[in-house]
Amino acid sequence: MPTRSVSIEDYNFHLEDFIAEERFNRIKAFAADKALPCLVIDLDVIRGKYQELKKSLPFATIYYAVKANPHDEVLALLRDLGSCFDVASRYELDQLLRLGISPERISYGNTIKKAKDVAYFYEKGVRLYATDSMTDLNMISDAAPGSRVFFRLLTEGLGADWPLSKKFGCHPDLVRQLVKAAVRFGLVPYGISFHPGSQQRDVGQWSSALTSAGQLFHSIREEIHVELKMVNMGGGFPANYLEPTDSVAEYAEGIKRFLDNSFKDLWPEQIIVEPGRSMAGDSGIIVSEIVNIAKKSVHERYTWVFLDVGKFSGLIETLGEAIKYPIYFEGSGQAVETIIAGPTCDSMDILYEKCTYKMPRSAKIGDRVYIFTTGAYTQSYSSVCFNGFPPIAAYILK
Ligand SMILES: *Cc1c(COP(=O)(O)O)cnc(C)c1O
């Protein structure tokens, strides 16, 4: 019997918190003839998110984190809105170049890269690189001479649903060493970056990171006589999952205050944000079908609901039940407490068992189920053909 850590009342939700009825009806009609499961992406939502962030942080340059949703039409929309792009591999770079995005609008933000890939980025015209180690910096200096580099700070990711901590970034002590080395190598030490953790619920996490960044700006100016010019505040802005967060406008208010505190007399020439989840998350709805509804024993309290979508078809962020997608079952009647699982022959393909999702009693095999806020980190995480299931198909809502 699984253990319950959350009361079911916490996971009741109202459809209107996630979607207007009119838009929901449009999406249902659009998906009516599609093979399931599929992801439907509404570009109007992404346009709105971009404009909202631009308005909330008018001084910031937006580098969209391509990995969140690399659909061609998503990237083309952001291209036309004037966004820049943060990429992690030569494949993402090729895609952006194919879409006519110029290399000046692209940063190579992955700190884990092969020398031949750095050379490839350089050859294609990219001149902005993230780094967090001496070996990587050496590689950039060999393969991308004279480029601008920014130094990623280690953060703890506390307060984030999907932390991204530990693997990336380095301690301020090492940043100082890297800045000195960059000068020696003839690179341009350009700025400091951090990522506060994805779906970061605590705006205070930007405060501590910006404090460190501000201190580094000062100490690097005093001790190394280098004027850094850029602060990159990463992603971390929220999408609308089951547990509510502050609005992007409220995040922006806090962040402006922290910037003022940390950069009083040394305001950076450029401020960058790299939103992925907050740009794309709310734009997507996965339309799924109930494959089976069953109990494991005669008296079991929980009903198992098997969907045609699971951890291997895009919902990997349910690992540890970290991301709690709003799941909408149609039907009526008493609420049934469920354990929700995917369709594959892997026993880790269970979406939620600790946190109870409720399903109306009338729900039955073959019914459609709608999983909201699945526009980010879903299709790009979908496995190739585990158990023969193809990666989840995505459609742009027309
Ligand atoms: C993944 C990633 C982002 C996007 O983060 P979100 O929390 O999805 O907005 C931004 N910057 C870097 C370097 C990343 O790796």
Side-chain angles (χ1 to χ4, degrees):
M1 186 57 68
T3 50
R4 299 279 149 178
S5 58
V6 205
S7 106
I8 50 174
E9 261 39 68
D10 296 340
Y11 293 101
N12 280 333
F13 75 98
H14 302 285
L15 193 57
E16 56 284 11
D17 290 341
F18 297 96
I19 193 165
E21 197 179 338
E22 180 266 336
R23 187 181 149 237
F24 189 34
N25 288 335
R26 231 179 99 209
I27 288 169
K28 284 202 273 193
F30 175 80
D33 62 350
K34 304 282 184 286
L36 300 186
C38 71
L39 168 67
V40 179
I41 301 166
D42 185 346
L43 292 181
D44 287 345
V45 174
I46 298 178
R47 185 179 297 106
K49 294 286 171 186
Y50 183 86
Q51 285 160 348
E52 179 190 31
L53 187 62
K54 203 74 216 151
K55 193 162 149 244
S56 305
L57 294 171
F59 48 81
T61 314
I62 297 177
Y63 278 71
Y64 172 65
V66 172
K67 72 177 187 283
N69 186 329
H71 195 291
D72 265 4
E73 292 201 45
V74 170
L75 300 179
L77 169 73
L78 290 165
R79 172 198 66 200
D80 295 344
L81 288 169
S83 186
C84 296
F85 298 86
D86 183 59
V87 311
S89 72
R90 64 194 294 160
Y91 310 103
E92 286 182 345
L93 173 64
D94 285 342
Q95 188 186 5
L96 294 178
L97 296 175
R98 172 169 59 73
L99 292 168
I101 293 159
S102 78
E104 295 86 63
R105 289 166 74 179
I106 297 172
S107 68
Y108 194 176
N110 194 347
T111 56
I112 305 155
K113 35 196 169 332
K114 295 178 180 172
K116 59 179 177 229
D117 292 337
V118 177
Y120 187 77
F121 272 70
Y122 187 76
E123 179 200 317
K124 297 291 175 185
V126 175
R127 295 291 180 270
L128 184 58
Y129 297 83
T131 193
D132 63 2
S133 68
M134 201 57 86
T135 37
D136 181 68
L137 187 69
N138 250 305
M139 193 191 295
I140 296 171
S141 117
D142 288 343
S147 292
R148 288 183 300 182
V149 285
F150 57 94
F151 307 93
R152 181 155 171 182
L153 275 176
L154 200 58
T155 55
E156 293 190 54
L158 297 173
D161 284 358
W162 198 257
L164 299 174
S165 56
K166 209 156 73 176
K167 180 170 168 186
F168 304 102
C170 61
H171 190 274
D173 284 351
L174 183 53
V175 170
R176 277 186 277 267
Q177 294 295 314
L178 293 173
V179 170
K180 284 185 202 158
V183 173
R184 273 201 316 278
F185 295 160
L187 293 164
V188 181
Y190 185 55
I192 303 290
S193 76
F194 60 84
H195 193 302
S198 198
Q199 188 70 6
Q200 176 53 265
R201 297 178 173 282
D202 172 16
V203 185
Q205 296 299 315
W206 275 271
S207 172
S208 34
L210 284 170
T211 303
S212 308
Q215 284 165 353
L216 274 168
F217 262 59
H218 280 96
S219 68
I220 288 168
R221 184 176 60 170
E222 299 307 312
E223 294 158 25
I224 314 176
H225 311 294
V226 167
E227 302 262 354
L228 295 177
K229 298 203 160 49
M230 183 275 275
V231 172
N232 177 336
M233 304 189 288
F237 299 97
N240 194 15
Y241 300 113
L242 269 189
E243 293 164 299
T245 63
D246 288 341
S247 67
V248 165
E250 286 165 307
Y251 277 66
E253 276 315 303
I255 287 170
K256 276 185 250 181
R257 218 172 42 247
F258 305 144
L259 275 165
D260 281 335
N261 291 342
S262 301
F263 291 92
K264 273 192 258 337
D265 51 342
L266 204 59
W267 190 263
E269 262 179 45
Q270 188 178 33
I271 293 175
I272 287 176
V273 285
E274 296 175 334
R277 189 183 300 279
S278 66
M279 262 319 110
D282 293 4
S283 74
I285 292 186
I286 285 179
V287 186
S288 163
E289 182 182 316
I290 300 180
V291 179
N292 197 8
I293 299 175
K295 295 238 180 196
K296 297 282 167 199
S297 71
V298 176
H299 299 294
E300 188 175 10
R301 175 167 163 208
Y302 301 103
T303 299
W304 286 73
V305 177
F306 300 94
L307 302 180
D308 60 1
V309 63
K311 280 211 156 54
F312 299 96
S313 37
L315 301 179
I316 195 73
E317 288 195 322
T318 58
L319 272 174
E321 306 189 19
I323 296 292
K324 296 182 184 73
Y325 295 105
I327 301 181
Y328 182 70
F329 293 92
E330 292 192 298
S332 57
Q334 208 189 335
V336 177
E337 295 175 10
T338 64
I339 294 170
I340 302 181
T344 65
C345 300
D346 189 313
S347 60
M348 69 98 80
D349 191 10
I350 294 173
L351 302 180
Y352 301 106
E353 55 177 336
K354 291 199 179 62
C355 131
T356 310
Y357 279 68
K358 292 201 278 188
M359 176 183 80
R361 170 103 33 222
S362 73
K364 57 186 188 311
I365 294 169
D367 280 1
R368 291 189 162 210
V369 172
Y370 299 87
I371 309 178
F372 293 105
T373 322
T374 44
Y377 303 119
T378 51
Q379 194 195 25
S380 55
Y381 267 145
S382 193
S383 78
V384 175
C385 261
F386 179 51
N387 272 172
F389 293 109
I392 192 164
Y395 299 95
I396 301 294
L397 179 65
K398 299 283 184 208

